[in-house]
Every structure is written in structure tokens, then in C-alpha cells.
Amino acid sequence: MMKTIHSYWAFIALVMLIIATVNAIIGYTSKKEFKNRDLRISLFTLIVMHIQLLIGLGWYFMSPWYKSIKASGIDASNRLLGVEHPIIMIIAIVLITIGWSKHKKKLNDTSKFKTIALFYSCALLLILFCIPWNQWLVG
């Protein structure tokens, strides 16, 4: 059940991150005014990503990879899902959190969009790189 929740919520989290990133890039390149809508998109993405982190941590400690690592250590079969995926996802969510925090301190709209675009884009690239696509899309 937790794996299913983690997988479905991941779709929501990924779509929200793409929307927030694209919105920030468009806002930055178009020199738009940073409005409440932009704030809400970025904040909602931050919240969705943190929920995904909590679901992922719950699933991790119930997963067969964690039990395998605990029992016999890290090997090639459990390295991606048991080590690399969680660490890189945590780093990505830290980047999103830093981007959100830094944008609040910016005084002009262009700087706000630029900060969110930079940090959210880096997080998006890390996430896209480390999603276990063959397992996620199939089952």
C-alpha cells in the first residue's frame, strides 16, 4: 500500500515541480511581476514535495531494500533503490527548500523568479535522473 501511495503521489509531486519550474523560468525571462499566484504555485510545490518525502521515508523503512540492506549490507541489486534514490531525493528536496527560503529574502520580482527557477530546476534534474523509471512506470 505504501509503495502505491508513494508512486501515485510522485506523479503529483513531479507535475507540480515541473509547473513551478516552468512558471519561474517564464516569470524570470518575461520579467513578470511576482504575484500571489506565483507564490502559491511555488509554496504548494514545496508542500507536495515534503509530503512525498514523508511518504517515501515511511515506505523506505518498510521496503524490502531496507530489510535487505539491514540483513546483508549494500550490494548492486539494492544500491539504487536502497541508497542512491533516497539520498538524491533528499538532496533535491533540500534544494527546493533552500530555493523557497532564499526567494522570500529577495526584494525584486526578477530575483524571486530567478532563485526559484535555479533551485527548483536543479532539484527537477536530480529527481528526473534518479527516478527508477523501469519500476515506476511498470508497477
Side-chain angles (χ1 to χ4, degrees), residues 10-25 41-42 44-46 48-49 89 92-93 95-97 116-128 131:
F11 279 112
I12 297 167
L14 187 58
V15 167
M16 283 305 305
L17 184 56
I18 291 168
I19 290 169
T21 302
V22 169
N23 181 64
I25 291 169
I41 289 172
S42 301
F44 190 65
T45 300
L46 175 81
V48 167
M49 294 304 294
M89 295 303 176
I93 293 171
L95 286 172
I96 291 168
T97 306
I116 290 175
L118 176 67
F119 282 92
Y120 282 38
S121 294
C122 291
L124 178 61
L125 290 174
L126 283 176
I127 289 169
L128 290 174
I131 289 174

PDB file of all heavy atoms in Angstrom, residues 10-25 41-42 44-46 48-49 89 92-93 95-97 116-128 131:
ATOM      1  N   ALA A  10       3.994  10.592  -6.240  1.00  0.00           N
ATOM      2  CA  ALA A  10       5.155  11.030  -7.018  1.00  0.00           C
ATOM      3  C   ALA A  10       4.729  11.692  -8.325  1.00  0.00           C
ATOM      4  O   ALA A  10       5.363  12.661  -8.763  1.00  0.00           O
ATOM      5  CB  ALA A  10       6.080   9.846  -7.295  1.00  0.00           C
ATOM      6  N   PHE A  11       3.665  11.186  -8.960  1.00  0.00           N
ATOM      7  CA  PHE A  11       3.151  11.831 -10.170  1.00  0.00           C
ATOM      8  C   PHE A  11       2.729  13.262  -9.867  1.00  0.00           C
ATOM      9  O   PHE A  11       3.066  14.193 -10.596  1.00  0.00           O
ATOM     10  CB  PHE A  11       1.947  11.060 -10.746  1.00  0.00           C
ATOM     11  CG  PHE A  11       2.317   9.869 -11.562  1.00  0.00           C
ATOM     12  CD1 PHE A  11       2.036   8.595 -11.106  1.00  0.00           C
ATOM     13  CD2 PHE A  11       2.932  10.011 -12.799  1.00  0.00           C
ATOM     14  CE1 PHE A  11       2.354   7.484 -11.863  1.00  0.00           C
ATOM     15  CE2 PHE A  11       3.264   8.908 -13.565  1.00  0.00           C
ATOM     16  CZ  PHE A  11       2.976   7.638 -13.091  1.00  0.00           C
ATOM     17  N   ILE A  12       1.984  13.438  -8.783  1.00  0.00           N
ATOM     18  CA  ILE A  12       1.527  14.778  -8.384  1.00  0.00           C
ATOM     19  C   ILE A  12       2.731  15.674  -8.093  1.00  0.00           C
ATOM     20  O   ILE A  12       2.800  16.813  -8.551  1.00  0.00           O
ATOM     21  CB  ILE A  12       0.594  14.692  -7.155  1.00  0.00           C
ATOM     22  CG1 ILE A  12      -0.664  13.905  -7.503  1.00  0.00           C
ATOM     23  CG2 ILE A  12       0.255  16.084  -6.618  1.00  0.00           C
ATOM     24  CD1 ILE A  12      -1.503  13.503  -6.301  1.00  0.00           C
ATOM     25  N   ALA A  13       3.693  15.146  -7.344  1.00  0.00           N
ATOM     26  CA  ALA A  13       4.875  15.929  -6.973  1.00  0.00           C
ATOM     27  C   ALA A  13       5.680  16.325  -8.212  1.00  0.00           C
ATOM     28  O   ALA A  13       6.111  17.481  -8.330  1.00  0.00           O
ATOM     29  CB  ALA A  13       5.748  15.115  -6.012  1.00  0.00           C
ATOM     30  N   LEU A  14       5.861  15.398  -9.123  1.00  0.00           N
ATOM     31  CA  LEU A  14       6.633  15.688 -10.329  1.00  0.00           C
ATOM     32  C   LEU A  14       5.933  16.721 -11.206  1.00  0.00           C
ATOM     33  O   LEU A  14       6.562  17.666 -11.686  1.00  0.00           O
ATOM     34  CB  LEU A  14       6.890  14.402 -11.117  1.00  0.00           C
ATOM     35  CG  LEU A  14       7.819  14.501 -12.313  1.00  0.00           C
ATOM     36  CD1 LEU A  14       9.193  15.036 -11.899  1.00  0.00           C
ATOM     37  CD2 LEU A  14       7.964  13.131 -12.973  1.00  0.00           C
ATOM     38  N   VAL A  15       4.627  16.579 -11.376  1.00  0.00           N
ATOM     39  CA  VAL A  15       3.871  17.553 -12.178  1.00  0.00           C
ATOM     40  C   VAL A  15       3.940  18.936 -11.531  1.00  0.00           C
ATOM     41  O   VAL A  15       4.164  19.938 -12.207  1.00  0.00           O
ATOM     42  CB  VAL A  15       2.407  17.087 -12.373  1.00  0.00           C
ATOM     43  CG1 VAL A  15       1.538  18.205 -12.917  1.00  0.00           C
ATOM     44  CG2 VAL A  15       2.357  15.878 -13.287  1.00  0.00           C
ATOM     45  N   MET A  16       3.769  19.003 -10.219  1.00  0.00           N
ATOM     46  CA  MET A  16       3.835  20.295  -9.528  1.00  0.00           C
ATOM     47  C   MET A  16       5.219  20.921  -9.658  1.00  0.00           C
ATOM     48  O   MET A  16       5.336  22.128  -9.853  1.00  0.00           O
ATOM     49  CB  MET A  16       3.466  20.140  -8.047  1.00  0.00           C
ATOM     50  CG  MET A  16       1.996  19.997  -7.782  1.00  0.00           C
ATOM     51  SD  MET A  16       0.984  21.331  -8.455  1.00  0.00           S
ATOM     52  CE  MET A  16       1.727  22.774  -7.752  1.00  0.00           C
ATOM     53  N   LEU A  17       6.254  20.111  -9.550  1.00  0.00           N
ATOM     54  CA  LEU A  17       7.611  20.647  -9.677  1.00  0.00           C
ATOM     55  C   LEU A  17       7.864  21.166 -11.089  1.00  0.00           C
ATOM     56  O   LEU A  17       8.487  22.220 -11.263  1.00  0.00           O
ATOM     57  CB  LEU A  17       8.645  19.578  -9.291  1.00  0.00           C
ATOM     58  CG  LEU A  17      10.102  20.020  -9.296  1.00  0.00           C
ATOM     59  CD1 LEU A  17      10.330  21.231  -8.389  1.00  0.00           C
ATOM     60  CD2 LEU A  17      10.996  18.867  -8.875  1.00  0.00           C
ATOM     61  N   ILE A  18       7.378  20.456 -12.084  1.00  0.00           N
ATOM     62  CA  ILE A  18       7.525  20.923 -13.469  1.00  0.00           C
ATOM     63  C   ILE A  18       6.768  22.234 -13.663  1.00  0.00           C
ATOM     64  O   ILE A  18       7.299  23.188 -14.248  1.00  0.00           O
ATOM     65  CB  ILE A  18       7.047  19.839 -14.465  1.00  0.00           C
ATOM     66  CG1 ILE A  18       8.014  18.655 -14.450  1.00  0.00           C
ATOM     67  CG2 ILE A  18       6.896  20.416 -15.872  1.00  0.00           C
ATOM     68  CD1 ILE A  18       7.505  17.413 -15.166  1.00  0.00           C
ATOM     69  N   ILE A  19       5.540  22.306 -13.160  1.00  0.00           N
ATOM     70  CA  ILE A  19       4.741  23.532 -13.283  1.00  0.00           C
ATOM     71  C   ILE A  19       5.445  24.706 -12.594  1.00  0.00           C
ATOM     72  O   ILE A  19       5.564  25.792 -13.161  1.00  0.00           O
ATOM     73  CB  ILE A  19       3.320  23.327 -12.715  1.00  0.00           C
ATOM     74  CG1 ILE A  19       2.520  22.393 -13.621  1.00  0.00           C
ATOM     75  CG2 ILE A  19       2.596  24.660 -12.539  1.00  0.00           C
ATOM     76  CD1 ILE A  19       1.211  21.918 -13.014  1.00  0.00           C
ATOM     77  N   ALA A  20       5.923  24.489 -11.377  1.00  0.00           N
ATOM     78  CA  ALA A  20       6.589  25.566 -10.636  1.00  0.00           C
ATOM     79  C   ALA A  20       7.872  26.010 -11.321  1.00  0.00           C
ATOM     80  O   ALA A  20       8.164  27.211 -11.386  1.00  0.00           O
ATOM     81  CB  ALA A  20       6.880  25.115  -9.207  1.00  0.00           C
ATOM     82  N   THR A  21       8.618  25.063 -11.842  1.00  0.00           N
ATOM     83  CA  THR A  21       9.871  25.389 -12.522  1.00  0.00           C
ATOM     84  C   THR A  21       9.611  26.181 -13.800  1.00  0.00           C
ATOM     85  O   THR A  21      10.236  27.220 -14.041  1.00  0.00           O
ATOM     86  CB  THR A  21      10.663  24.101 -12.831  1.00  0.00           C
ATOM     87  OG1 THR A  21      10.903  23.399 -11.600  1.00  0.00           O
ATOM     88  CG2 THR A  21      11.980  24.410 -13.501  1.00  0.00           C
ATOM     89  N   VAL A  22       8.684  25.689 -14.604  1.00  0.00           N
ATOM     90  CA  VAL A  22       8.350  26.378 -15.854  1.00  0.00           C
ATOM     91  C   VAL A  22       7.787  27.768 -15.558  1.00  0.00           C
ATOM     92  O   VAL A  22       8.142  28.751 -16.216  1.00  0.00           O
ATOM     93  CB  VAL A  22       7.371  25.534 -16.707  1.00  0.00           C
ATOM     94  CG1 VAL A  22       6.803  26.332 -17.863  1.00  0.00           C
ATOM     95  CG2 VAL A  22       8.062  24.275 -17.211  1.00  0.00           C
ATOM     96  N   ASN A  23       6.925  27.855 -14.560  1.00  0.00           N
ATOM     97  CA  ASN A  23       6.358  29.150 -14.169  1.00  0.00           C
ATOM     98  C   ASN A  23       7.458  30.132 -13.764  1.00  0.00           C
ATOM     99  O   ASN A  23       7.425  31.302 -14.163  1.00  0.00           O
ATOM    100  CB  ASN A  23       5.362  28.954 -13.022  1.00  0.00           C
ATOM    101  CG  ASN A  23       4.717  30.245 -12.592  1.00  0.00           C
ATOM    102  OD1 ASN A  23       3.998  30.877 -13.352  1.00  0.00           O
ATOM    103  ND2 ASN A  23       4.984  30.655 -11.354  1.00  0.00           N
ATOM    104  N   ALA A  24       8.434  29.663 -12.995  1.00  0.00           N
ATOM    105  CA  ALA A  24       9.530  30.535 -12.557  1.00  0.00           C
ATOM    106  C   ALA A  24      10.420  30.950 -13.731  1.00  0.00           C
ATOM    107  O   ALA A  24      10.837  32.104 -13.820  1.00  0.00           O
ATOM    108  CB  ALA A  24      10.353  29.836 -11.487  1.00  0.00           C
ATOM    109  N   ILE A  25      10.682  30.022 -14.638  1.00  0.00           N
ATOM    110  CA  ILE A  25      11.509  30.347 -15.796  1.00  0.00           C
ATOM    111  C   ILE A  25      10.797  31.366 -16.682  1.00  0.00           C
ATOM    112  O   ILE A  25      11.403  32.345 -17.136  1.00  0.00           O
ATOM    113  CB  ILE A  25      11.878  29.073 -16.586  1.00  0.00           C
ATOM    114  CG1 ILE A  25      12.842  28.213 -15.760  1.00  0.00           C
ATOM    115  CG2 ILE A  25      12.484  29.416 -17.946  1.00  0.00           C
ATOM    116  CD1 ILE A  25      13.073  26.817 -16.307  1.00  0.00           C
ATOM    117  N   ILE A  41       1.967  28.708  -6.265  1.00  0.00           N
ATOM    118  CA  ILE A  41       2.478  27.572  -7.048  1.00  0.00           C
ATOM    119  C   ILE A  41       3.765  27.044  -6.424  1.00  0.00           C
ATOM    120  O   ILE A  41       3.931  25.838  -6.227  1.00  0.00           O
ATOM    121  CB  ILE A  41       2.706  27.978  -8.524  1.00  0.00           C
ATOM    122  CG1 ILE A  41       1.369  28.194  -9.229  1.00  0.00           C
ATOM    123  CG2 ILE A  41       3.537  26.929  -9.264  1.00  0.00           C
ATOM    124  CD1 ILE A  41       1.487  28.793 -10.629  1.00  0.00           C
ATOM    125  N   SER A  42       4.671  27.945  -6.095  1.00  0.00           N
ATOM    126  CA  SER A  42       5.950  27.537  -5.500  1.00  0.00           C
ATOM    127  C   SER A  42       5.760  26.930  -4.113  1.00  0.00           C
ATOM    128  O   SER A  42       6.397  25.923  -3.783  1.00  0.00           O
ATOM    129  CB  SER A  42       6.883  28.741  -5.403  1.00  0.00           C
ATOM    130  OG  SER A  42       7.102  29.292  -6.674  1.00  0.00           O
ATOM    131  N   PHE A  44       2.952  25.504  -2.876  1.00  0.00           N
ATOM    132  CA  PHE A  44       2.243  24.239  -2.988  1.00  0.00           C
ATOM    133  C   PHE A  44       3.204  23.138  -3.443  1.00  0.00           C
ATOM    134  O   PHE A  44       3.144  22.011  -2.948  1.00  0.00           O
ATOM    135  CB  PHE A  44       1.052  24.367  -3.939  1.00  0.00           C
ATOM    136  CG  PHE A  44       0.137  23.180  -3.911  1.00  0.00           C
ATOM    137  CD1 PHE A  44      -0.580  22.855  -2.772  1.00  0.00           C
ATOM    138  CD2 PHE A  44       0.008  22.376  -5.031  1.00  0.00           C
ATOM    139  CE1 PHE A  44      -1.416  21.747  -2.744  1.00  0.00           C
ATOM    140  CE2 PHE A  44      -0.826  21.267  -5.022  1.00  0.00           C
ATOM    141  CZ  PHE A  44      -1.538  20.952  -3.875  1.00  0.00           C
ATOM    142  N   THR A  45       4.115  23.479  -4.335  1.00  0.00           N
ATOM    143  CA  THR A  45       5.121  22.510  -4.772  1.00  0.00           C
ATOM    144  C   THR A  45       6.002  22.097  -3.599  1.00  0.00           C
ATOM    145  O   THR A  45       6.280  20.911  -3.409  1.00  0.00           O
ATOM    146  CB  THR A  45       5.979  23.101  -5.911  1.00  0.00           C
ATOM    147  OG1 THR A  45       5.114  23.426  -6.997  1.00  0.00           O
ATOM    148  CG2 THR A  45       7.044  22.128  -6.369  1.00  0.00           C
ATOM    149  N   LEU A  46       6.435  23.067  -2.815  1.00  0.00           N
ATOM    150  CA  LEU A  46       7.240  22.775  -1.628  1.00  0.00           C
ATOM    151  C   LEU A  46       6.503  21.822  -0.691  1.00  0.00           C
ATOM    152  O   LEU A  46       7.068  20.826  -0.223  1.00  0.00           O
ATOM    153  CB  LEU A  46       7.576  24.082  -0.899  1.00  0.00           C
ATOM    154  CG  LEU A  46       8.311  23.953   0.432  1.00  0.00           C
ATOM    155  CD1 LEU A  46       9.793  23.747   0.207  1.00  0.00           C
ATOM    156  CD2 LEU A  46       8.074  25.191   1.276  1.00  0.00           C
ATOM    157  N   VAL A  48       3.920  19.749  -1.378  1.00  0.00           N
ATOM    158  CA  VAL A  48       3.729  18.442  -2.023  1.00  0.00           C
ATOM    159  C   VAL A  48       5.027  17.633  -1.981  1.00  0.00           C
ATOM    160  O   VAL A  48       5.007  16.427  -1.718  1.00  0.00           O
ATOM    161  CB  VAL A  48       3.213  18.629  -3.470  1.00  0.00           C
ATOM    162  CG1 VAL A  48       3.313  17.346  -4.265  1.00  0.00           C
ATOM    163  CG2 VAL A  48       1.781  19.129  -3.465  1.00  0.00           C
ATOM    164  N   MET A  49       6.146  18.290  -2.211  1.00  0.00           N
ATOM    165  CA  MET A  49       7.430  17.586  -2.192  1.00  0.00           C
ATOM    166  C   MET A  49       7.787  17.099  -0.779  1.00  0.00           C
ATOM    167  O   MET A  49       8.323  16.005  -0.620  1.00  0.00           O
ATOM    168  CB  MET A  49       8.539  18.482  -2.739  1.00  0.00           C
ATOM    169  CG  MET A  49       8.394  18.832  -4.209  1.00  0.00           C
ATOM    170  SD  MET A  49       8.261  17.418  -5.322  1.00  0.00           S
ATOM    171  CE  MET A  49       9.874  16.691  -5.153  1.00  0.00           C
ATOM    172  N   MET A  89      17.006  12.090  -3.663  1.00  0.00           N
ATOM    173  CA  MET A  89      15.700  12.723  -3.478  1.00  0.00           C
ATOM    174  C   MET A  89      15.715  13.679  -2.284  1.00  0.00           C
ATOM    175  O   MET A  89      15.131  14.761  -2.342  1.00  0.00           O
ATOM    176  CB  MET A  89      14.596  11.679  -3.324  1.00  0.00           C
ATOM    177  CG  MET A  89      14.378  10.853  -4.559  1.00  0.00           C
ATOM    178  SD  MET A  89      13.992  11.877  -5.986  1.00  0.00           S
ATOM    179  CE  MET A  89      13.909  10.655  -7.249  1.00  0.00           C
ATOM    180  N   ALA A  92      17.446  16.757  -3.426  1.00  0.00           N
ATOM    181  CA  ALA A  92      16.556  17.550  -4.288  1.00  0.00           C
ATOM    182  C   ALA A  92      15.547  18.335  -3.457  1.00  0.00           C
ATOM    183  O   ALA A  92      15.298  19.523  -3.724  1.00  0.00           O
ATOM    184  CB  ALA A  92      15.834  16.640  -5.279  1.00  0.00           C
ATOM    185  N   ILE A  93      14.986  17.712  -2.442  1.00  0.00           N
ATOM    186  CA  ILE A  93      14.003  18.409  -1.608  1.00  0.00           C
ATOM    187  C   ILE A  93      14.682  19.481  -0.760  1.00  0.00           C
ATOM    188  O   ILE A  93      14.103  20.544  -0.524  1.00  0.00           O
ATOM    189  CB  ILE A  93      13.196  17.395  -0.770  1.00  0.00           C
ATOM    190  CG1 ILE A  93      12.334  16.561  -1.730  1.00  0.00           C
ATOM    191  CG2 ILE A  93      12.328  18.096   0.273  1.00  0.00           C
ATOM    192  CD1 ILE A  93      11.644  15.381  -1.127  1.00  0.00           C
ATOM    193  N   LEU A  95      17.191  21.242  -1.868  1.00  0.00           N
ATOM    194  CA  LEU A  95      17.350  22.333  -2.840  1.00  0.00           C
ATOM    195  C   LEU A  95      16.051  23.127  -3.004  1.00  0.00           C
ATOM    196  O   LEU A  95      16.076  24.360  -3.063  1.00  0.00           O
ATOM    197  CB  LEU A  95      17.796  21.782  -4.195  1.00  0.00           C
ATOM    198  CG  LEU A  95      19.241  21.323  -4.297  1.00  0.00           C
ATOM    199  CD1 LEU A  95      19.493  20.615  -5.626  1.00  0.00           C
ATOM    200  CD2 LEU A  95      20.183  22.501  -4.125  1.00  0.00           C
ATOM    201  N   ILE A  96      14.932  22.427  -3.075  1.00  0.00           N
ATOM    202  CA  ILE A  96      13.640  23.114  -3.184  1.00  0.00           C
ATOM    203  C   ILE A  96      13.395  23.977  -1.952  1.00  0.00           C
ATOM    204  O   ILE A  96      12.962  25.131  -2.059  1.00  0.00           O
ATOM    205  CB  ILE A  96      12.500  22.086  -3.386  1.00  0.00           C
ATOM    206  CG1 ILE A  96      12.620  21.435  -4.768  1.00  0.00           C
ATOM    207  CG2 ILE A  96      11.132  22.737  -3.203  1.00  0.00           C
ATOM    208  CD1 ILE A  96      11.743  20.216  -4.960  1.00  0.00           C
ATOM    209  N   THR A  97      13.695  23.440  -0.791  1.00  0.00           N
ATOM    210  CA  THR A  97      13.502  24.187   0.459  1.00  0.00           C
ATOM    211  C   THR A  97      14.418  25.413   0.516  1.00  0.00           C
ATOM    212  O   THR A  97      13.984  26.500   0.914  1.00  0.00           O
ATOM    213  CB  THR A  97      13.766  23.263   1.670  1.00  0.00           C
ATOM    214  OG1 THR A  97      12.944  22.102   1.543  1.00  0.00           O
ATOM    215  CG2 THR A  97      13.459  23.967   2.978  1.00  0.00           C
ATOM    216  N   ILE A 116      13.900  30.820  -7.569  1.00  0.00           N
ATOM    217  CA  ILE A 116      13.056  29.626  -7.646  1.00  0.00           C
ATOM    218  C   ILE A 116      13.403  28.816  -8.888  1.00  0.00           C
ATOM    219  O   ILE A 116      13.517  27.587  -8.823  1.00  0.00           O
ATOM    220  CB  ILE A 116      11.560  30.005  -7.608  1.00  0.00           C
ATOM    221  CG1 ILE A 116      11.215  30.500  -6.209  1.00  0.00           C
ATOM    222  CG2 ILE A 116      10.687  28.822  -7.994  1.00  0.00           C
ATOM    223  CD1 ILE A 116       9.818  31.027  -6.059  1.00  0.00           C
ATOM    224  N   ALA A 117      13.592  29.484 -10.017  1.00  0.00           N
ATOM    225  CA  ALA A 117      13.936  28.774 -11.256  1.00  0.00           C
ATOM    226  C   ALA A 117      15.228  27.984 -11.088  1.00  0.00           C
ATOM    227  O   ALA A 117      15.311  26.821 -11.497  1.00  0.00           O
ATOM    228  CB  ALA A 117      14.049  29.759 -12.412  1.00  0.00           C
ATOM    229  N   LEU A 118      16.219  28.595 -10.490  1.00  0.00           N
ATOM    230  CA  LEU A 118      17.514  27.941 -10.323  1.00  0.00           C
ATOM    231  C   LEU A 118      17.418  26.716  -9.413  1.00  0.00           C
ATOM    232  O   LEU A 118      17.807  25.609  -9.796  1.00  0.00           O
ATOM    233  CB  LEU A 118      18.539  28.934  -9.768  1.00  0.00           C
ATOM    234  CG  LEU A 118      19.916  28.372  -9.458  1.00  0.00           C
ATOM    235  CD1 LEU A 118      20.616  27.965 -10.753  1.00  0.00           C
ATOM    236  CD2 LEU A 118      20.742  29.381  -8.697  1.00  0.00           C
ATOM    237  N   PHE A 119      16.900  26.894  -8.220  1.00  0.00           N
ATOM    238  CA  PHE A 119      16.874  25.801  -7.252  1.00  0.00           C
ATOM    239  C   PHE A 119      15.873  24.708  -7.630  1.00  0.00           C
ATOM    240  O   PHE A 119      16.173  23.514  -7.506  1.00  0.00           O
ATOM    241  CB  PHE A 119      16.585  26.341  -5.846  1.00  0.00           C
ATOM    242  CG  PHE A 119      17.783  26.971  -5.210  1.00  0.00           C
ATOM    243  CD1 PHE A 119      18.029  28.329  -5.341  1.00  0.00           C
ATOM    244  CD2 PHE A 119      18.683  26.215  -4.478  1.00  0.00           C
ATOM    245  CE1 PHE A 119      19.139  28.921  -4.760  1.00  0.00           C
ATOM    246  CE2 PHE A 119      19.799  26.783  -3.905  1.00  0.00           C
ATOM    247  CZ  PHE A 119      20.034  28.145  -4.033  1.00  0.00           C
ATOM    248  N   TYR A 120      14.709  25.093  -8.091  1.00  0.00           N
ATOM    249  CA  TYR A 120      13.709  24.097  -8.483  1.00  0.00           C
ATOM    250  C   TYR A 120      14.167  23.335  -9.729  1.00  0.00           C
ATOM    251  O   TYR A 120      13.909  22.140  -9.852  1.00  0.00           O
ATOM    252  CB  TYR A 120      12.349  24.752  -8.712  1.00  0.00           C
ATOM    253  CG  TYR A 120      11.567  25.081  -7.455  1.00  0.00           C
ATOM    254  CD1 TYR A 120      12.180  25.548  -6.300  1.00  0.00           C
ATOM    255  CD2 TYR A 120      10.194  24.958  -7.425  1.00  0.00           C
ATOM    256  CE1 TYR A 120      11.462  25.864  -5.158  1.00  0.00           C
ATOM    257  CE2 TYR A 120       9.448  25.272  -6.288  1.00  0.00           C
ATOM    258  CZ  TYR A 120      10.087  25.723  -5.162  1.00  0.00           C
ATOM    259  OH  TYR A 120       9.363  26.028  -4.029  1.00  0.00           O
ATOM    260  N   SER A 121      14.850  23.998 -10.662  1.00  0.00           N
ATOM    261  CA  SER A 121      15.369  23.316 -11.858  1.00  0.00           C
ATOM    262  C   SER A 121      16.430  22.285 -11.489  1.00  0.00           C
ATOM    263  O   SER A 121      16.432  21.168 -12.022  1.00  0.00           O
ATOM    264  CB  SER A 121      15.975  24.320 -12.838  1.00  0.00           C
ATOM    265  OG  SER A 121      15.013  25.167 -13.351  1.00  0.00           O
ATOM    266  N   CYS A 122      17.329  22.663 -10.614  1.00  0.00           N
ATOM    267  CA  CYS A 122      18.356  21.713 -10.166  1.00  0.00           C
ATOM    268  C   CYS A 122      17.715  20.503  -9.488  1.00  0.00           C
ATOM    269  O   CYS A 122      18.109  19.355  -9.739  1.00  0.00           O
ATOM    270  CB  CYS A 122      19.342  22.387  -9.212  1.00  0.00           C
ATOM    271  SG  CYS A 122      20.396  23.602 -10.003  1.00  0.00           S
ATOM    272  N   ALA A 123      16.732  20.762  -8.654  1.00  0.00           N
ATOM    273  CA  ALA A 123      16.026  19.669  -7.985  1.00  0.00           C
ATOM    274  C   ALA A 123      15.309  18.787  -9.003  1.00  0.00           C
ATOM    275  O   ALA A 123      15.349  17.553  -8.908  1.00  0.00           O
ATOM    276  CB  ALA A 123      15.030  20.223  -6.966  1.00  0.00           C
ATOM    277  N   LEU A 124      14.666  19.405  -9.976  1.00  0.00           N
ATOM    278  CA  LEU A 124      13.958  18.647 -11.004  1.00  0.00           C
ATOM    279  C   LEU A 124      14.917  17.741 -11.772  1.00  0.00           C
ATOM    280  O   LEU A 124      14.612  16.568 -12.024  1.00  0.00           O
ATOM    281  CB  LEU A 124      13.234  19.596 -11.956  1.00  0.00           C
ATOM    282  CG  LEU A 124      12.475  18.951 -13.115  1.00  0.00           C
ATOM    283  CD1 LEU A 124      11.381  18.018 -12.613  1.00  0.00           C
ATOM    284  CD2 LEU A 124      11.874  20.039 -14.013  1.00  0.00           C
ATOM    285  N   LEU A 125      16.070  18.257 -12.136  1.00  0.00           N
ATOM    286  CA  LEU A 125      17.048  17.436 -12.852  1.00  0.00           C
ATOM    287  C   LEU A 125      17.521  16.249 -12.013  1.00  0.00           C
ATOM    288  O   LEU A 125      17.631  15.129 -12.522  1.00  0.00           O
ATOM    289  CB  LEU A 125      18.243  18.283 -13.290  1.00  0.00           C
ATOM    290  CG  LEU A 125      17.960  19.296 -14.396  1.00  0.00           C
ATOM    291  CD1 LEU A 125      19.182  20.179 -14.634  1.00  0.00           C
ATOM    292  CD2 LEU A 125      17.535  18.606 -15.674  1.00  0.00           C
ATOM    293  N   LEU A 126      17.787  16.486 -10.749  1.00  0.00           N
ATOM    294  CA  LEU A 126      18.188  15.383  -9.862  1.00  0.00           C
ATOM    295  C   LEU A 126      17.087  14.330  -9.766  1.00  0.00           C
ATOM    296  O   LEU A 126      17.358  13.128  -9.826  1.00  0.00           O
ATOM    297  CB  LEU A 126      18.517  15.910  -8.458  1.00  0.00           C
ATOM    298  CG  LEU A 126      19.849  16.609  -8.276  1.00  0.00           C
ATOM    299  CD1 LEU A 126      19.969  17.159  -6.861  1.00  0.00           C
ATOM    300  CD2 LEU A 126      20.999  15.655  -8.566  1.00  0.00           C
ATOM    301  N   ILE A 127      15.868  14.788  -9.606  1.00  0.00           N
ATOM    302  CA  ILE A 127      14.741  13.858  -9.473  1.00  0.00           C
ATOM    303  C   ILE A 127      14.546  13.055 -10.753  1.00  0.00           C
ATOM    304  O   ILE A 127      14.382  11.828 -10.709  1.00  0.00           O
ATOM    305  CB  ILE A 127      13.465  14.621  -9.077  1.00  0.00           C
ATOM    306  CG1 ILE A 127      13.589  15.088  -7.618  1.00  0.00           C
ATOM    307  CG2 ILE A 127      12.219  13.760  -9.271  1.00  0.00           C
ATOM    308  CD1 ILE A 127      12.526  16.060  -7.178  1.00  0.00           C
ATOM    309  N   LEU A 128      14.581  13.718 -11.898  1.00  0.00           N
ATOM    310  CA  LEU A 128      14.419  13.009 -13.169  1.00  0.00           C
ATOM    311  C   LEU A 128      15.545  11.995 -13.388  1.00  0.00           C
ATOM    312  O   LEU A 128      15.325  10.922 -13.944  1.00  0.00           O
ATOM    313  CB  LEU A 128      14.360  13.997 -14.331  1.00  0.00           C
ATOM    314  CG  LEU A 128      13.107  14.861 -14.407  1.00  0.00           C
ATOM    315  CD1 LEU A 128      13.250  15.901 -15.514  1.00  0.00           C
ATOM    316  CD2 LEU A 128      11.854  14.016 -14.608  1.00  0.00           C
ATOM    317  N   ILE A 131      14.831   8.822 -10.666  1.00  0.00           N
ATOM    318  CA  ILE A 131      13.590   8.048 -10.617  1.00  0.00           C
ATOM    319  C   ILE A 131      13.865   6.670 -11.219  1.00  0.00           C
ATOM    320  O   ILE A 131      14.424   6.587 -12.310  1.00  0.00           O
ATOM    321  CB  ILE A 131      12.454   8.750 -11.400  1.00  0.00           C
ATOM    322  CG1 ILE A 131      11.992   9.999 -10.659  1.00  0.00           C
ATOM    323  CG2 ILE A 131      11.269   7.806 -11.609  1.00  0.00           C
ATOM    324  CD1 ILE A 131      10.972  10.822 -11.423  1.00  0.00           C
TER     325      ILE A 131
END
